[in-house]
Amino acid sequence: MDTEEQQTEQQPTSWTLSPAELAATQERAAKINARATKRGFTGRLEVTGTPREISETDEAGLTRTRLVYDVQITGEAPSYNGWTFLAAVDTVETATGTDFILRTAPGIDETGVDRTALAAGRCEHCNTVRANRRYTYLVRHTETGEIRQVGSTCIKDFTGWAGRPVFIWADDVADELHEFLGGFASSGHEYTPETVVAAAWAISRRFGWVPASATFGRSTRDLVSSYLYGTSRADRELRADVVADVAEAADMGATIVTALLEGLTDAGDYVANLKVCLRAASVSHRHLGITVSAVAAYERMIGDRVQRQTAEMTRKESAYAGEIGQKLTITGTVTRLKPIEQNYGYTPTTSMLVIIESGTTVAKTFTAAAWAWDVAQGDEITITGTVKAHEEFNDTKETVLTRPKRIDPTA
């Protein structure tokens, strides 16, 4: 609960709560409703909240935006046989005689009740005023709008209700909820996805990306939690450590969220859940880990995009090398290796498909030679071979070599 922004005790029905506190308070109000219904209460109590964002700058210089709710108790007043309870009128002894306190029902605006038309201890059903009558009720007919003040002992006879009419004062509920909030273990502020991702980006820049499954070192998720919610000396030192990266962090947070929502198209629960978290108004502590992982997802997406762009460039710029029958020497990078089973007569053999890229040349060859099993993808090698054919695969021009041999260009 945001104690700095709570309303004063003179306005106990209004609070500023975090999303987690609001959810817990609404759950508590539902239990109060259920308990009142068992007693015969026909009204309805609701805890409603209006969302609002609060932006603050922490000691590292990062502008944090969090979601809060301005919360009030609303609802509908109880009604019995067409008579709606507006308020309870309680008699109070004073130095000069008697007076009354007005307790309005849920959903009733106290300013809309004419206090001048009321009197302590008066009942308009039995037409008597009794100084010792402690409680009366103000009721209004739902069709005619007629308003009556009726004593508590006459109310059942007046309304003709078979059961016992039940009245609940909104402030009684507020007091119970206020006491509940005082002991509520808050999960902390809930920040916007952009704020969480910005903190994760700054921390990963400073300490590198550490997954939650890492055996050694604190994960990025734990560091972000400490950065945003921690109050210890170590947490303050953590915020001081990332000051240099905070200047870019806010822009990167917004950039990453937008890029992932627009660019992630993979099927699967992870992508679906991540996008839900990034679209949310705020991030609960339960969903902190998956939101923090947006930084790693963004880097993977950008890396995949670069690889696709490189492959696309290769396809556009690829060109055939040599003439059919010509012997070539090519130095390049092994980009693909794949064992291929081939049958020649009755003797099955396994050859290695080797793809080598060298500038605009993409050379392809099949060989069972031992050297093909000694190289790895990414190695730079030099081979010689005879041009067997010029082919095209996925819009890439490939030069097929036969009788390939690996050579040492320094020999």
Side-chain angles (χ1 to χ4, degrees):
M1 180 167 53
D2 197 340
T3 55
E4 293 82 6
E5 295 166 3
Q6 289 181 52
Q7 301 297 320
T8 63
E9 292 183 357
Q10 286 71 27
Q11 295 176 305
T13 57
S14 181
W15 306 279
T16 298
L17 306 181
S18 71
E21 289 169 337
L22 172 59
T25 305
Q26 288 174 327
E27 184 178 350
R28 183 76 171 191
K31 293 180 180 179
I32 295 174
N33 266 329
R35 188 175 66 212
T37 301
K38 288 183 179 180
R39 293 170 48 200
F41 180 65
T42 58
R44 179 170 52 88
L45 294 165
E46 287 186 355
V47 174
T48 60
T50 303
R52 176 165 59 94
E53 288 187 348
I54 297 177
S55 294
E56 303 158 324
T57 302
D58 61 27
E59 60 263 47
L62 178 66
T63 300
R64 306 182 183 190
T65 301
R66 57 188 173 93
L67 180 68
V68 299
Y69 285 86
D70 295 322
V71 178
Q72 291 186 332
I73 295 177
T74 60
E76 293 180 0
S79 180
Y80 302 92
N81 276 353
W83 290 95
T84 298
F85 279 55
L86 302 181
V89 185
D90 298 346
T91 301
V92 176
E93 296 291 340
T94 68
T96 58
T98 59
D99 205 338
F100 63 86
I101 292 176
L102 196 67
R103 298 185 288 126
T104 53
I108 301 301
D109 183 3
E110 183 176 345
T111 60
V113 177
D114 183 8
R115 297 178 67 95
T116 63
L118 305 177
R122 182 173 67 185
C123 176
E124 294 180 305
H125 178 62
C126 61
N127 294 316
T128 59
V129 177
R130 297 175 185 170
N132 63 346
R133 180 179 279 134
R134 312 305 300 171
Y135 306 108
T136 60
Y137 296 105
L138 190 65
V139 295
R140 179 178 60 203
H141 198 273
T142 55
E143 294 183 359
T144 65
E146 179 185 3
I147 295 178
R148 293 288 190 91
Q149 183 179 350
V150 183
S152 59
T153 56
C154 294
I155 193 68
K156 181 176 179 180
D157 183 52
F158 176 79
T159 61
W161 187 252
R164 180 180 176 84
V166 176
F167 176 84
I168 294 179
W169 185 27
D171 283 3
D172 282 340
V173 178
D175 288 343
E176 182 174 341
L177 293 177
H178 191 75
E179 182 179 354
F180 165 73
L181 282 170
F184 179 69
S186 173
S187 60
H189 298 323
E190 292 192 10
Y191 295 102
T192 61
E194 290 81 3
T195 298
V196 173
V197 174
W201 183 86
I203 286 172
S204 64
R205 283 287 297 270
R206 174 65 178 82
F207 301 101
W209 176 262
V210 182
S213 58
T215 306
F216 300 100
R218 296 182 66 191
S219 69
T220 302
R221 186 252 185 225
D222 289 343
L223 289 174
V224 171
S225 179
S226 295
Y227 178 93
L228 292 176
Y229 309 112
T231 58
S232 68
R233 179 179 178 181
D235 299 326
R236 292 192 295 272
E237 290 175 350
L238 170 64
R239 288 190 279 271
D241 286 340
V242 300
V243 168
D245 297 303
V246 162
E248 299 179 59
D251 289 339
M252 284 304 303
T255 297
I256 290 173
V257 170
T258 300
L260 291 178
L261 288 177
E262 294 177 353
L264 282 182
T265 57
D266 297 341
D269 288 341
Y270 169 73
V271 169
N273 291 338
L274 175 59
K275 294 179 78 170
V276 169
C277 289
L278 297 181
R279 284 194 296 263
S282 64
V283 179
S284 69
H285 207 267
R286 178 181 298 178
H287 302 141
L288 183 66
I290 189 170
T291 307
V292 166
S293 74
V295 173
Y298 174 76
E299 292 176 350
R300 286 195 301 270
M301 184 180 75
I302 294 301
D304 292 344
R305 185 176 298 169
V306 170
Q307 288 183 355
R308 288 195 299 270
Q309 290 174 346
T310 301
E312 179 66 23
M313 188 64 67
T314 299
R315 285 194 295 270
K316 291 180 178 179
E317 297 181 353
S318 62
Y320 296 127
E323 301 292 338
I324 304 298
Q326 181 182 353
K327 188 173 183 178
L328 297 179
T329 299
I330 296 176
T331 299
T333 302
V334 178
T335 59
R336 188 180 182 194
L337 292 167
K338 182 179 180 181
I340 303 293
E341 287 193 3
Q342 297 174 316
N343 291 320
Y344 296 103
Y346 297 99
T347 306
T349 60
T350 301
S351 297
M352 183 70 76
L353 165 64
V354 184
I355 303 291
I356 300 172
E357 294 186 13
S358 176
T360 60
T361 299
V362 178
K364 177 173 72 174
T365 187
F366 297 89
T367 180
W371 66 263
W373 271 261
D374 293 335
V375 298
Q377 194 168 330
D379 288 350
E380 184 173 297
I381 65 173
T382 300
I383 66 170
T384 62
T386 302
V387 178
K388 179 182 179 181
H390 289 150
E391 298 178 351
E392 190 169 308
F393 179 75
N394 285 344
D395 298 327
T396 300
K397 295 180 173 63
E398 295 180 338
T399 300
V400 183
L401 301 180
T402 188
R403 296 187 295 277
K405 295 181 181 179
R406 182 181 182 184
I407 63 173
D408 183 356
T410 63

